[in-house]
Amino acid sequence: MDISVFQSIWFVLWGVLWAVYFMLDGFVLGTGLLSGFLAKNDTEKRVLINAVGPVWDGNEVWLITAGGATFAAFPTTYALMFSNLYSALLLLLFSLIVRGVSFEFRGKLESAAWKGAWDAAIVVFSFLPALLFGVAFGNIFKGIPMKNDFAATSFSYDGTLLGLLNPYGLVTGVLFVLLFAVHGSLYAAIKTTGDLSKRAATLANKLWLPLLVVAVVFLGYTYPATKLYGNFLKAPVLLIIPVIAVVSLLLVKLFAAKGECYKAFTFSCLTIVFVVFTGVTGLFPNLIPSSIDPASNLTIFNSSSSLLTLQIMTVVALIFVPTVIAYKIWVYRIFRAPVSNEDVLGSPDAY
């Protein structure tokens, strides 16, 4: 097959890996950033941590895979992201590390000050990655101020860390925060019991309206700020992707209002996946557009690896991606039961 076929396949896989990561780690980030508001005492905080405890680190596999796929399939894109966006990505990495450490260290000392510090860290360093991921993708959708000389295999970047905090990037960041907050509260509702579960379900209903408002603002702002709508106008059949995202978001509210949180959570998963698919579809064939010169866009064609590399990666992906999916299904099935106060108080292995 022609190399363009494999380039397109890996663009789709790149989008799928990010979508699955946001769907899975989204509820962990959402549960973490809401933990300070949902839990009324130490036991309930432990319940929330143990609700995500068995799965949070496994979810990071999808982030590592998405980064690895970018490095192997589109090395020029990876080089630009990790050299010129180094400060932003380092802040994101540190936030994810501190969040994970917080889960593990919180219960190491029986001290109110110790636990309080780690509780605050869980909230802050769950909020930051959610915001930063949104800001990052908002800037990718908008375009990065860069100019490339492909003949000389060099590029210049004219942006700064603060420059990434532009209005469209921040709107996208807030959208991600609210998406994950609703997602996390629904997860908490189905994975906990008693009053904690009821409060989480109530919070999901309250957060849905702000999410809808920001989603409408994002969709409206996307037209003048980006060129994402171009592919949808050229091929209207692709509009099914954002339509599914919108319908799924509406169904989240419908089922959450009825107290059917399992169904609401399912459609929250679909909302996140198809929001990401909408952005990725609008980008194609670009990976990182240039806001300075369209000729400097990093695309799947000018930044990909060789045909042989892409072929080998495709074979590896066909073997290991289904394996990882099967493993994740098994893990979630094993830990499918809700976590109660009695579970964390009576188990020496609980967080």
Side-chain angles (χ1 to χ4, degrees):
M1 284 191 288
D2 186 73
I3 187 173
S4 63
V5 174
F6 286 96
Q7 290 166 332
S8 299
I9 289 172
W10 274 97
F11 180 81
V12 172
L13 286 174
W14 179 76
V16 168
L17 290 170
W18 280 113
V20 173
Y21 169 69
F22 288 139
M23 179 186 73
L24 294 178
D25 206 34
F27 68 73
V28 180
L29 292 170
T31 301
L33 69 90
L34 294 175
S35 60
F37 308 97
L38 281 174
K40 290 187 174 181
N41 53 54
D42 180 71
T43 300
E44 289 187 344
K45 289 177 182 177
R46 291 184 63 196
V47 168
L48 290 174
I49 294 172
N50 280 277
V52 300
V55 298
W56 75 266
D57 49 352
N59 294 343
E60 301 304 310
V61 169
W62 295 94
L63 174 61
I64 295 169
T65 306
T70 307
F71 170 75
F74 307 108
T76 307
T77 297
Y78 182 92
L80 174 68
M81 289 176 62
F82 282 84
S83 58
N84 290 305
L85 303 179
Y86 184 79
S87 298
L89 291 172
L90 195 63
L91 179 59
L92 176 60
L93 178 61
F94 281 162
S95 298
L96 292 171
I97 290 172
V98 174
R99 181 199 61 169
V101 169
S102 301
F103 291 152
E104 301 292 339
F105 278 24
R106 181 187 183 276
K108 298 301 182 184
L109 290 177
E110 288 300 324
S111 163
W114 174 269
K115 289 185 177 181
W118 290 116
D119 288 339
I122 289 173
V123 174
V124 171
F125 293 103
S126 294
F127 169 79
L128 271 180
L131 179 69
L132 291 172
F133 274 125
V135 169
F137 271 81
N139 278 276
I140 290 174
F141 296 157
K142 180 176 179 290
I144 303 284
M146 63 183 185
K147 188 171 181 62
N148 292 306
D149 182 353
F150 294 104
T153 63
S154 65
F155 50 79
S156 60
Y157 173 67
D158 297 326
T160 63
L161 178 60
L162 291 179
L164 298 175
L165 301 178
N166 54 74
Y168 183 76
L170 289 173
V171 167
T172 313
V174 174
L175 175 66
F176 271 51
V177 169
L178 288 171
L179 275 171
F180 294 165
V182 171
H183 200 43
S185 56
L186 288 169
Y187 181 81
I190 64 178
K191 285 293 292 181
T192 61
T193 59
D195 290 339
L196 180 56
S197 175
K198 293 176 182 177
R199 290 198 300 273
T202 300
L203 185 57
N205 272 292
K206 290 181 179 179
L207 289 172
W208 184 86
L209 183 57
L211 170 58
L212 178 65
V213 172
V214 173
V216 171
V217 172
F218 170 78
L219 288 173
Y221 198 178
T222 294
Y223 183 76
T226 76
K227 297 181 180 179
L228 290 185
Y229 288 156
N231 286 339
F232 296 101
L233 295 175
K234 292 176 184 176
V237 68
L238 296 175
L239 288 170
I240 188 64
I241 298 173
V243 166
I244 292 175
V246 171
V247 171
S248 296
L249 179 59
L250 296 175
L251 289 174
V252 168
K253 177 60 174 176
L254 175 66
F255 288 115
K258 292 181 177 180
E260 299 180 29
C261 291
Y262 278 97
K263 292 180 181 178
F265 180 73
T266 299
F267 283 104
S268 180
C269 291
L270 288 176
T271 301
I272 292 173
V273 167
F274 280 91
V275 164
V276 177
F277 282 175
T278 298
V280 170
T281 302
L283 277 176
F284 183 85
N286 296 310
L287 287 163
I288 302 182
S290 169
S291 60
I292 297 175
D293 178 14
S296 295
N297 290 353
L298 283 172
T299 72
I300 63 173
F301 305 118
N302 64 24
S303 69
S304 76
S305 295
S306 66
L307 175 59
L308 179 59
T309 300
L310 295 176
Q311 288 173 330
I312 294 173
M313 287 175 59
T314 302
V315 174
V316 172
L318 288 173
I319 296 171
F320 287 104
V321 170
T323 303
V324 172
I325 293 173
Y327 168 74
K328 293 299 295 181
I329 292 172
W330 177 76
V331 168
Y332 279 96
R333 179 170 176 77
I334 291 295
F335 294 102
R336 66 186 181 277
V339 180
S340 66
N341 291 1
E342 292 74 19
D343 291 331
V344 299
L345 292 174
S347 173
D349 299 320
Y351 283 99

